Amino acid sequence: QVQLVESGGGLVQPGGSLRLSCAASGFTLSSYYMSWFRQAPGKQRELVAGITSGGSTNYADSVKGRFTISRDNAKNTVYLQMNSLKPEDTAVYYCQAASRNVYWGQGTQVTVSS
């Protein structure tokens, strides 16, 4: 069964850090383009960061310099390191794997609040 399972979300104060993980099972993500999306209440889902199979990355302007996406193909896992978090980063964060097929995780809640 194909699955993407996100973890690492939670409540953090402004300026804090979190690392999200996205573990794949049922397929090998090494050949997939991997992305993190987020969706805040009342807003559309938006792309946060992406990484190619070769390791090239891209980021939304709103997170450049603060977030880092990485992948560990040996662990079949993708990460999103989030630093200097702001209240506007509050959202449900989703992992996506894209190739001929597209797979989504169930999401993990990130809340940035004092």
Side-chain angles (χ1 to χ4, degrees):
Q1 182 181 1
V2 171
Q3 266 193 314
L4 290 172
V5 179
E6 300 99 332
S7 61
L11 173 64
V12 63
Q13 291 188 340
S17 299
L18 284 174
R19 188 175 83 152
L20 305 183
S21 299
C22 171
S25 60
F27 72 104
T28 302
L29 60 73
S30 59
S31 62
Y32 282 72
Y33 185 86
M34 300 300 298
S35 304
W36 286 95
F37 287 75
R38 68 185 179 188
Q39 188 166 19
K43 294 189 176 181
Q44 287 190 330
R45 191 172 296 189
E46 63 174 357
L47 176 66
V48 175
I51 185 166
T52 69
S53 57
S56 297
T57 59
N58 70 284
Y59 298 93
D61 287 344
S62 58
V63 306
K64 278 181 183 176
R66 300 188 298 121
F67 291 11
T68 303
I69 187 171
S70 61
R71 62 195 303 158
D72 186 336
N73 291 333
K75 294 183 177 180
N76 224 27
T77 301
V78 173
Y79 304 97
L80 185 68
Q81 177 67 44
M82 306 186 295
N83 299 327
S84 302
L85 283 160
K86 305 175 181 180
E88 51 264 42
D89 295 318
T90 296
V92 178
Y93 284 70
Y94 298 90
C95 176
Q96 184 202 65
S99 182
R100 284 183 295 176
N101 298 312
V102 177
Y103 304 120
W104 288 93
Q106 83 290 349
T108 185
Q109 176 70 48
V110 171
T111 302
V112 184
S113 176
S114 55

